[in-house]
Amino acid sequence: MNKLTQQQKLDQSLSLTPAQIQAIKMLELTGLELEARIERELEENPALEENDEAPQQEGSDDEATSSDSDDQDWELGEYATEDDIPDYKLRELQERQSVREEIPFAAGAPSLDEYLMEQLALVTPLEGTRREIARYIIGNIDDDGYLTRSVEEIEDDLLFKAGLSVTPEEIAELIRLVKTLDPAGIGARDLRESLLLQIERLPANALHREAQRMIEHHYEDFVNKRFDRLCAALGVSEERLSELYAFISHLSPKPAGGYGDDSEGRFMHITPDFIVTERDGELLISLVGERDLPPLRLSPTYLALLEQHKDQRDGSRQSREAMTFLRHKVEQARWFIDAIHQREETLRKTMTAIVEHQRAFFLTGEVSALRPMILKDIAEATGLDISTISRVSNSKSVQTDYGVYMLKFFFGEGILNDEGESVSTREVREALAELIAGEDKRQPLSDEQLTQLLAARGYPIARRTVAKYREQLRLPVARLRREL
């Protein structure tokens, strides 16, 4: 028989307060996400409101935020005529305005699913269950345009998820029809089938027939670039095989690219969270959208109600419940305001430390100027935790005089070159990419040869490290880089 016993145990555990959780979540938000988050909080929490009495223009400790586009008329008003305005002042105002440009309006193009459903409805009747089957098939086409689920898997999904009992023949017929739609190659199981579907749409000629035969019967030799085998199997010369490869290279490996939802990607651009500009050798940092955020405060009405209910200690149950509600909402609003201020301070500290560490890059824009930098370096410089620096760097971006970069771009380990100096691994990868881009494609450089060439440039790294960097650059091995 089990006995009940009591024992004491001492252990350590870390539990986050609601305020800390709030601050962590706020830290991960981008500028645009923060604006939406503030709007939602204002709607949901009546104890939080915009502070209309706050001054519209406040001084900032940051030199880069000492003026705003709202001050443009005042700034230009200092000068008698337009001709008197210094070039640097016009350039500064133009740059500030360009940062605030709205995202260009993109016409609402139909999604890929809608586009395919419209086409399918023109070639076959879509009613009732048949329409649901078609919608499910098209919904399973991935972003690249491939349908990787088998007929049996789709049949099971329809039965268990949608409660539809259908035959494999019905599913197979609709899949076959989907493969006849535009864009060519859509709905294929893999790249091989997609290429064949695209070739079938083209006019029949000798080149297309040979390419079709190569893909259909010698696909493994094709993808592995076994040129000698292909020439022998197809009975063609190297020149003709080169023409076949050139033709196939113009086919789309991602048939869904550029259609529907993907078209919206052409209008997307990164809205930076920071701006770092150089003025007379000095780097100025500003937090984008900081002045656009509405000033917040605790609702005076709710604070008064809270004080009123505090005096009613022996009140009714309804009064105590009201007191609990008021206290909860006020505390929530206070945590939210504190989290926004803490977020701003953390972002400033982190960006300032990054700029100081990578000063040479922000002044020149040269990748070779990047210094080795890890999360620990910035954590030590700011006094913040490594996890905090990680959250900031993973989701934020900065606009520089040389382009927009994600903060994680500036992080990377280093190696010692021949002169004993520490250089960024990004610089080594750039050198590797340059060597591969300039190689003879008929005789590509092996990893061993690349290792020797990098060593000659002053980057003594191992062959396995070269292979790792090459894979990070998404470059294939020498054999697969070979061209005729």
Side-chain angles (χ1 to χ4, degrees), residues 207-278:
L207 181 68
H208 296 168
R209 284 193 295 270
E210 288 173 359
Q212 184 176 23
R213 187 157 65 104
M214 180 169 65
I215 299 297
E216 191 168 1
H217 301 292
H218 309 285
Y219 184 70
E220 288 300 319
D221 290 336
F222 163 73
V223 296
N224 288 292
K225 295 190 174 183
R226 298 169 183 147
F227 299 141
D228 294 340
R229 289 191 189 181
L230 288 172
C231 288
L234 298 174
V236 297
S237 63
E238 284 195 357
E239 290 74 15
R240 183 61 168 179
L241 187 62
S242 178
E243 292 179 22
L244 292 175
Y245 267 88
F247 161 67
I248 293 173
S249 69
H250 286 87
L251 301 178
S252 175
K254 298 179 179 181
Y259 282 84
D261 293 330
D262 290 339
S263 65
E264 296 177 6
R266 297 195 298 269
F267 293 92
M268 292 175 63
H269 71 275
I270 295 175
T271 300
D273 300 278
F274 304 94
I275 300 175
V276 176
T277 55
E278 184 267 333

Side-chain angles (χ1 to χ4, degrees), residues 12-37:
Q12 288 184 329
S13 63
L14 176 64
S15 58
L16 298 177
T17 66
Q20 290 172 324
I21 295 173
Q22 178 87 276
I24 290 172
K25 289 182 178 179
M26 297 286 284
L27 190 61
E28 294 174 341
L29 300 179
T30 62
L32 293 177
E33 291 170 338
L34 179 61
E35 291 181 23
R37 180 72 180 86

Side-chain angles (χ1 to χ4, degrees), residues 134-260:
R135 190 178 296 279
Y136 192 82
I137 290 171
I138 290 174
N140 273 279
I141 294 176
D142 63 26
D143 293 338
D144 294 335
Y146 295 107
L147 178 64
T148 56
R149 296 187 70 76
S150 66
V151 171
E152 293 75 17
E153 289 173 328
I154 294 175
E155 181 186 5
D156 291 342
D157 288 346
L158 287 169
L159 178 61
F160 293 109
K161 295 182 180 179
L164 296 176
S165 179
V166 297
T167 64
E169 290 74 23
E170 291 177 288
I171 298 172
E173 180 200 356
L174 284 171
I175 291 177
R176 181 184 61 78
L177 291 174
V178 167
K179 292 177 181 179
T180 65
L181 306 178
D182 286 329
I186 198 74
R189 292 185 301 274
D190 50 33
L191 177 60
R192 176 175 175 274
E193 185 181 11
S194 178
L195 294 175
L196 290 172
L197 289 172
Q198 293 177 61
I199 294 173
E200 288 174 3
R201 301 278 188 96
L202 300 173
N205 59 36
L207 181 68
H208 296 168
R209 284 193 295 270
E210 288 173 359
Q212 184 176 23
R213 187 157 65 104
M214 180 169 65
I215 299 297
E216 191 168 1
H217 301 292
H218 309 285
Y219 184 70
E220 288 300 319
D221 290 336
F222 163 73
V223 296
N224 288 292
K225 295 190 174 183
R226 298 169 183 147
F227 299 141
D228 294 340
R229 289 191 189 181
L230 288 172
C231 288
L234 298 174
V236 297
S237 63
E238 284 195 357
E239 290 74 15
R240 183 61 168 179
L241 187 62
S242 178
E243 292 179 22
L244 292 175
Y245 267 88
F247 161 67
I248 293 173
S249 69
H250 286 87
L251 301 178
S252 175
K254 298 179 179 181
Y259 282 84

Side-chain angles (χ1 to χ4, degrees), residues 280-293:
D280 300 324
E282 185 178 0
L283 292 171
L284 308 178
I285 304 169
S286 61
L287 192 57
V288 176
E290 177 187 357
R291 289 173 173 264
D292 295 332
L293 297 177

Side-chain angles (χ1 to χ4, degrees), residues 18-41 48 273 287 293-294 296 332-347 388 391-392 395-396:
Q20 290 172 324
I21 295 173
Q22 178 87 276
I24 290 172
K25 289 182 178 179
M26 297 286 284
L27 190 61
E28 294 174 341
L29 300 179
T30 62
L32 293 177
E33 291 170 338
L34 179 61
E35 291 181 23
R37 180 72 180 86
I38 291 175
E39 289 181 12
R40 189 168 78 248
E41 192 69 20
L48 182 71
D273 300 278
L287 192 57
L293 297 177
L296 303 176
Q332 219 173 20
R334 183 176 288 113
W335 292 338
F336 189 79
I337 293 172
D338 290 344
I340 289 178
H341 293 322
Q342 185 177 338
R343 174 185 183 274
E344 179 182 331
E345 182 182 355
T346 301
L347 293 186
T388 300
R391 287 187 176 92
V392 174
S395 58
K396 306 295 183 297

